[in-house]
Amino acid sequence: MSDSPVIELDGVGRRYGGHDALRDVSLRIDHGERVALLGGSGAGKSTLLALLNGSLLATSGSVRVFGQDLAALTPTTLRALQSRIGAVSQRLDLIEQVRVIHNINAGQLARWSVPRAVAALAWPRADDIALGALDRVGLGWATYERTDRLSGGERQRVAIARLLVQDPDLVLADEPVSSLDPARAAEVLALLRAPAEDATLVISLHQPELAQRHCTRAIGLRDGQVAFDVPVELLDEPTLSHLYALP
Amino acid sequence: MSQTQVRTPRPAEARDETHGWPVQRVGAGRRVSLSEVRGRRLVGLLLVLVPLAWALARAVPEGRAILNTGGLALLDDLAAGVLRPSLAPDFLSLVLDAAVVTLVFAALGTAGALAVGVVGGLVLSDVAWARQPPAGVRALRSVVRGLLVAVRAVHELVWALLFVSVLGLDPLVAVLAIAVPFGAQTAKVFAEIVDGVDPAALRLIRNSGARRSTTLVYGLVPAATPLLLSYSFYRFECAIRSAVLLGVVGVGGLGQELVVSLQSRNWAEVWTLVAAVLVLSAAADVWSSKVRGELPGATRDDEATEAECGRSIATAPPRTGSGRGWWGRASALLLVPVLVAAWIASDVSWAGLASPRTRELTVGLLDDLWPPALPPGGWSVLVGGVLDTLAMAVLAMAVAVVVTLVVGPWATRPDLARPRSVRGLARHLIRVVARLLLLVLRSVPPTIWAIVALLALFPGILPGALALGLYTGGILGRLVAEAWESLDRRPTRALRNAGVGGRMAAVAAQTAPSSQQLVAYTLYRFEICVRDTAVVGVVGAAGLGRLFAENLAVFRFPVVATLLLASVAVSLAAELVGRRLRRALRGTPPEARGRFRPARQPAISAAPARSSSSSR
C-alpha cells in the first residue's frame, strides 16, 4: 500500500464558465506526507481540495485517489472512497441544533445503518469511540451540550473530534486556521495531525511559518498552476514573495 | 398571538465577530449530563402524549356512534361535484358580486384596523412617550394595554355575532368585526415596531437640540414606515380570509353564499364558490408577498415568530428590501381610489353606528351583559365547555401536524443534483400540487370545513377538531415547508462528501432542526387554534363557541358575558403556556431580542421574496 501514491494528478484542469480555476496540474502525494497548499486568494486551493475528495470533478486530466480514478467511480464506490477521506473547512459545517455527541457520531455514519442512526438521534448515547475522540480534543465535559452554545474554539475542536471518529486515511483541510489566533492555530494543526501519525494530510494555509512547522512539503499555487513544489525546509523569502506578488 | 416584550439590544460583545454565532461561555459549573438530555426527551414525549390521550378520551363518546353513515352519501355527492362546478351565468354574476363584497369588507376592515393600530400603537409604545409620563397617563396606558389584549383574544366571528345583536345584519358588522380585533393586534405590533427603532438614532437627533415632536417625526417615521406598511399588507391578506369567514353570520360575501349553497346541498355551486375563494386568497397572497418582498424586515406575525422558533440568526438570510419597487408604488397609487370606490360600491354606511336605535341597543346590551352569570347547568357546563375547547384544539393540532408531515415535505423545494431530469421535473410538479392542496386547506374557512365534517360526523369535539385541523394544517404545512426550505443544507452536503449516503445524511443533519421548527410552529399555532375553536363551535361542533352561540340565540346575555370572559382567559392561558414551552424548547435562556427591528445594514442581496403569508 505504501508504495502506491495516495494522490496522483495528471494534467488536471478545472473550468468554471470561461475561467480556468486550475490548469494542467500534475502531482503525486505519497502515503504519510503532510502537504501545505500555499497561494493567494483565488489561486485554486479550494478547487484543488474539492477535486481531491470527489465533490467536484475535473474538466480535464485525471484525478486518482488511493489508486482509483474518481471520474470512473459509481456513486456507491465513490461513497466508499469518500468515507476514507476526512474534510475540514473553516466553515466547520456542524449541525448546530443538536447535542455535541450527534456531531461526533456524524463522523461514523458511513459505518452505520439508517435505523441505528435514527435510534442514536432519538435516544442519545455515546460509545467509546466518540467519548475517546472528545477526550482527545479536551471536550469530554461537553458531550451533551448543545453545539450552538459552544464557543468558536470549542466548535473547531468538535469538528476535529468528528474527524477523529471518522478515522480517515487522508485528511483534506481547507484553511482550517485562517480565522484563529496563532496559539489556537497551532493547537488545531497539532490536532489535525492526530488522527493517525501515518495519515496523509493536505492542508491549505495562508501562513508559511505554520507550513514550515507542521508540514513536510509545500506546494505553491498561482493562477491555477503549480508555482513551486518543495520540501518545507527549502521555503524561502524569494519563493514566497513571488507567490503572493500581485499581478 | 405570540410576542416577546423584551427589547433590550443584545450587547455587541456577546457575538463572535468572526463567525457571527452567539458566544455563550459555558461556565465550569454548567455540565449537561446524559440523563438530563434523556430526561428532556421523555418530558417532551409526555407533553405530547398525555394531552393527546386525554383529548382523545374526551372526544370519543362512549357507546355513541361517531360516524353519521347517512351523511356519507352526501360527502360522496360533494366530492363528485368537483368536476362539475356551476357555471350558470346568473350564478357567476352572483359569485362576482359576493367576491366584491368580501373584498370591500376586507379593505374597509383593514383601513379601520390600521387607524386603531396607529393610535393604539403610539399609546402603547415607550419611545413615543417622555421618559417618565405622569402616573395618571401610565395607569391609563396599562388599562389600554389590558383592554387591547382582551379585545384580540376574542375571535372576529364572536365580535361579529355581538355586533349583529346591536346593528342587525348590517354590512358594517363585518367591517367592524375585522377592524376591532385586528386593530388591537396591529396596535401591539406597531408599538413593537416603533420601540424596535434604534434608540441611538433618536438620541442623536434629540441631543442636537431638536424638539421632542421633531425627534419623533425625523427619527421614527423613516425607520418604521416600511415595517408598518409591510405589516399592513399582511393584515389585509388576513382580512380577506376573515371576510370570507364572517359571511357565515349572514352579512353577505362569499362566506354567506358558501353556507347557503352547502345547506341547500347544491354541490355544483359550492365548488364554484370554493374556486372563487381560492382565486381571491391566492391573489391576495401573491400581491401581498410581492409588495412585502420589496420592503425590509420580517413582519408577518408568524415570520416574526421564526426568531423565537429557533431559526438560528446566523443562518437566516437577511431580509432587506430596498423599499422601492414597482409593486409597492403601483399599490400605493391604487390604494386610495380603490378604497373610495369600495366604499361607494358597498352598502356600508356609518349611519347605523350613530342612530339612536343603535345607541339604545348598545346600552341595553352592556346592561344585559353585566353582571355575568353561569350558564344553565352551572359550573360543570362552563368547565366542560373549557375542557372541550382545549381538547378540540389539541386534536386539531394533531390533525394539522399529520397534514404537515404528509404534505409538507413534498411542498419544499427539493435539493436535487439534476433539477432538469425527468425525476426533477416530476418532483417540481408534485411540489406545485402539494402547495395548491395547502392553499385549499387554509383558504376555505374552518366554518365551511366544519359544516362539511358535520355531514359525516355527529356533532361534538371530533368534527370541530377535524375542521380546525384541516384549516390549521394548511397554514402550518406552508409555514413549516418554508422553514424547511430555508434550512442550512451545508452540513448535509458536508456529510455526503464524507461518504455518507444521501438519505442517511438528510436524516442525521436535518431531523433535529426541522423537527424543532415543526414543534415550535405547532406550539405557536396551538395558541391561535384555541382562539379559533370559537369558529367551529358557532356552527355546532362543541366547546365554548357552541355554548356562546346557543346562549346568544336565546338572548341569555349574562351567560354570554361569562363565556366571553372564559374564552379570553383560556386564550391568554394558552398563549402564556405556549410561549413558555417555546422558550424552553429553544434551550437557551430567554434572551433579549427585538422582534421587529428595522434592518440596519444595506441590502446584501435582493430581497429573497419568501412567498407570502397565511394565518388567521
Side-chain angles (χ1 to χ4, degrees):
Chain A
M1 175 179 156
S2 330
D3 41 346
S4 71
V6 174
I7 292 168
E8 205 173 7
L9 300 188
D10 189 14
V12 167
R14 170 71 209 190
R15 272 181 95 78
Y16 292 106
H19 165 71
D20 278 313
L22 278 184
R23 272 179 300 169
D24 194 28
V25 174
S26 297
L27 281 177
R28 182 192 150 107
I29 296 174
D30 284 313
H31 183 77
E33 279 194 283
R34 293 195 300 276
V35 180
L37 284 181
L38 299 172
S41 306
K45 303 189 298 292
S46 298
T47 304
L48 181 57
L49 286 170
L51 289 177
L52 291 182
N53 83 341
S55 55
L56 199 68
L57 286 180
T59 38
S60 58
S62 81
V63 180
R64 300 178 77 83
V65 179
F66 301 126
Q68 287 173 292
D69 186 351
L70 292 190
L73 294 178
T74 66
T76 319
T77 47
L78 176 64
R79 266 210 329 257
L81 184 98
Q82 282 176 329
S83 69
R84 297 174 62 194
I85 306 173
V88 215
S89 79
Q90 189 188 335
R91 259 186 2 233
L92 304 183
D93 288 332
L94 295 176
I95 309 160
E96 297 292 336
Q97 300 88 341
V98 296
R99 308 277 157 185
V100 167
I101 181 65
H102 298 304
N103 269 306
I104 306 302
N105 282 339
Q108 44 187 346
L109 281 181
R111 302 192 289 268
W112 281 9
S113 66
V114 174
R116 180 164 179 199
V118 172
L121 267 181
W123 193 242
R125 53 183 291 270
D127 54 21
D128 291 341
I129 303 178
L131 287 176
L134 275 168
D135 277 339
R136 270 177 83 181
V137 299
L139 278 184
W141 59 271
T143 312
Y144 300 106
E145 289 289 339
R146 257 181 71 133
T147 309
D148 53 6
R149 290 224 240 159
L150 298 184
S151 74
E154 286 160 351
R155 292 153 44 90
Q156 190 106 32
R157 282 185 279 159
V158 172
I160 291 171
R162 180 179 61 183
L163 195 69
L164 294 178
V165 163
Q166 189 189 342
D167 191 21
D169 300 320
L170 168 63
V171 173
L172 304 174
D174 192 4
E175 296 189 15
V177 296
S178 58
S179 61
L180 301 181
D181 62 57
R184 196 157 293 150
E187 183 193 327
V188 166
L189 286 175
L191 282 168
L192 275 180
R193 289 167 60 178
E197 275 305 319
D198 59 342
T200 312
L201 180 66
V202 181
I203 176 169
S204 70
L205 286 173
H206 273 306
Q207 303 94 323
E209 61 281 3
L210 287 178
Q212 278 163 335
R213 190 138 14 105
H214 294 280
C215 300
T216 55
R217 177 177 162 192
I219 296 176
L221 285 177
R222 187 180 157 88
D223 293 335
Q225 284 180 301
V226 175
F228 60 77
D229 184 352
V230 294
V232 281
E233 299 81 41
L234 298 183
L235 265 187
D236 54 8
E237 204 48 47
T239 324
L240 287 170
S241 60
H242 168 72
L243 189 66
Y244 291 110
L246 296 174
Chain B
M1 300 262 99
S2 72
Q3 80 252 67
T4 27
Q5 287 291 24
V6 281
R7 203 172 306 113
T8 333
R10 181 198 279 279
E13 64 277 9
R15 192 147 270 270
D16 182 324
E17 290 304 326
T18 334
H19 307 281
W21 55 65
V23 170
Q24 207 165 35
R25 291 273 160 210
V26 184
R30 175 108 182 102
R31 299 278 191 275
V32 184
S33 69
L34 176 60
S35 49
E36 208 177 325
V37 175
R38 287 181 171 174
R40 278 176 67 104
R41 294 277 153 108
L42 280 181
V43 169
L45 199 65
L46 287 180
L47 277 178
V48 173
L49 290 184
V50 170
L52 205 58
W54 167 77
L56 261 181
R58 191 168 178 86
V60 179
E62 265 173 65
R64 261 199 296 138
I66 303 168
L67 210 63
N68 178 359
T69 37
L72 287 179
L74 293 176
L75 270 190
D76 208 30
D77 292 344
L78 175 63
V82 67
L83 292 176
R84 292 178 275 106
S86 168
L87 295 172
D90 283 359
F91 183 67
L92 284 184
S93 90
L94 182 94
V95 171
L96 194 65
D97 285 349
V100 169
V101 168
T102 299
L103 210 57
V104 168
F105 287 169
L108 294 182
T110 310
L114 293 186
V116 175
V118 168
V119 175
L122 282 178
V123 172
L124 288 187
S125 87
D126 294 324
V127 172
W129 292 87
R131 192 138 299 164
Q132 195 59 286
V137 174
R138 266 183 291 159
L140 194 70
R141 281 180 66 200
S142 315
V143 171
V144 170
R145 198 187 301 268
L147 210 64
L148 289 181
V149 168
V151 163
R152 69 184 163 79
V154 174
H155 196 275
E156 298 97 271
L157 189 61
V158 174
W159 279 112
L161 291 172
L162 284 176
F163 286 132
V164 166
S165 54
V166 172
L167 295 167
L169 288 180
D170 189 317
L172 194 56
V173 165
V175 175
L176 286 178
I178 294 173
V180 168
F182 279 29
Q185 173 69 15
T186 309
K188 191 197 94 189
V189 172
F190 277 17
E192 283 170 12
I193 290 177
V194 168
D195 286 346
V197 170
D198 187 4
L202 287 179
R203 221 174 300 128
L204 197 75
I205 304 178
R206 184 87 168 127
N207 289 346
S208 69
R211 234 185 275 272
R212 177 147 201 98
S213 52
T214 325
T215 309
L216 286 183
V217 169
Y218 275 79
L220 284 185
V221 174
T225 305
L227 291 169
L228 298 182
L229 271 181
S230 179
Y231 187 75
S232 306
F233 278 105
Y234 165 65
R235 271 292 127 196
F236 174 68
E237 214 184 299
C238 299
I240 294 258
R241 287 187 220 293
S242 261
V244 174
L245 176 83
L246 290 176
V248 175
V249 298
V251 290
L254 288 171
Q256 182 178 349
E257 301 302 334
L258 256 175
V259 173
V260 170
S261 294
L262 261 177
Q263 281 168 350
S264 59
R265 310 270 148 94
N266 194 331
W267 311 125
E269 288 183 4
V270 168
W271 285 109
T272 312
L273 285 162
V274 166
V277 169
L278 282 188
V279 169
L280 199 62
S281 96
D285 264 24
V286 171
W287 181 46
S288 158
S289 84
K290 290 279 184 202
V291 173
R292 291 157 31 79
E294 292 170 359
L295 297 167
T299 53
R300 222 164 71 190
D301 284 334
D302 39 33
E303 265 185 330
T305 333
E306 283 168 13
E308 296 166 31
C309 284
R311 182 184 290 193
S312 134
I313 291 208
T315 58
R319 244 189 89 112
T320 44
S322 58
R324 280 184 300 271
W326 189 88
W327 280 96
R329 281 184 192 168
S331 311
L333 275 180
L334 275 174
L335 208 58
V336 176
V338 165
L339 267 183
V340 172
W343 187 287
I344 293 169
S346 68
D347 304 330
V348 179
S349 91
W350 300 113
L353 262 190
S355 77
R357 185 171 168 275
T358 305
R359 201 174 317 141
E360 216 172 277
L361 283 171
T362 311
V363 172
L365 177 67
L366 292 177
D367 208 35
D368 288 341
L369 284 173
W370 206 261
L374 283 175
W379 279 105
S380 67
V381 171
L382 183 65
V383 172
V386 170
L387 293 181
D388 280 356
T389 290
L390 288 176
M392 196 148 65
V394 168
L395 289 181
M397 285 322 296
V399 173
V401 168
V402 169
V403 169
T404 302
L405 286 178
V406 172
V407 184
W410 300 107
T412 56
R413 194 175 295 116
D415 187 23
L416 291 178
R418 279 168 303 168
R420 289 189 182 276
S421 64
V422 175
R423 212 176 131 230
L425 291 177
R427 182 64 182 73
H428 185 74
L429 194 71
I430 292 174
R431 175 167 177 260
V432 171
V433 173
R435 294 191 71 113
L436 199 67
L437 182 63
L438 293 176
L439 177 73
V440 173
L441 288 178
R442 67 176 180 268
S443 297
V444 175
T447 32
I448 302 299
W449 288 119
I451 293 173
V452 173
L454 285 169
L455 291 177
L457 298 170
F458 286 113
I461 296 175
L462 279 181
L466 185 64
L468 212 51
L470 289 176
Y471 167 74
T472 308
I475 296 167
L476 187 70
R478 183 271 190 81
L479 271 178
V480 171
E482 282 180 359
W484 285 348
E485 273 181 5
S486 65
L487 282 184
D488 188 359
R489 307 213 179 184
R490 286 177 310 197
T492 319
R493 290 200 197 108
L495 281 182
R496 293 174 75 149
N497 284 338
V500 177
R503 194 179 317 147
M504 175 84 101
V507 165
Q510 288 172 11
T511 311
S514 51
S515 58
Q516 277 168 22
Q517 275 171 339
L518 175 65
V519 174
Y521 280 125
T522 304
L523 283 171
Y524 161 70
R525 281 311 306 190
F526 173 74
E527 297 161 30
I528 297 171
C529 203
V530 168
R531 189 173 144 284
D532 282 354
T533 51
V535 175
V536 290
V538 165
V539 293
L544 288 172
R546 181 171 173 184
L547 287 178
F548 176 85
E550 284 171 358
N551 283 288
L552 191 65
V554 296
F555 309 111
R556 220 177 270 139
F557 288 111
V559 178
V560 167
T562 309
L563 294 169
L564 278 178
L565 290 176
S567 34
V568 169
V570 172
S571 298
L572 292 182
E575 202 177 305
L576 221 62
V577 172
R579 214 185 308 153
R580 276 283 161 79
L581 285 176
R582 275 186 300 174
R583 205 170 275 170
L585 183 81
R586 240 188 304 158
T588 45
E591 275 177 61
R593 186 185 293 153
R595 276 179 66 192
F596 298 108
R597 187 144 307 158
R600 282 188 211 118
Q601 320 97 310
I604 294 169
S605 59
R610 302 196 358 127
S611 62
S612 64
S613 104
S614 65
S615 165
R616 29 177 306 202

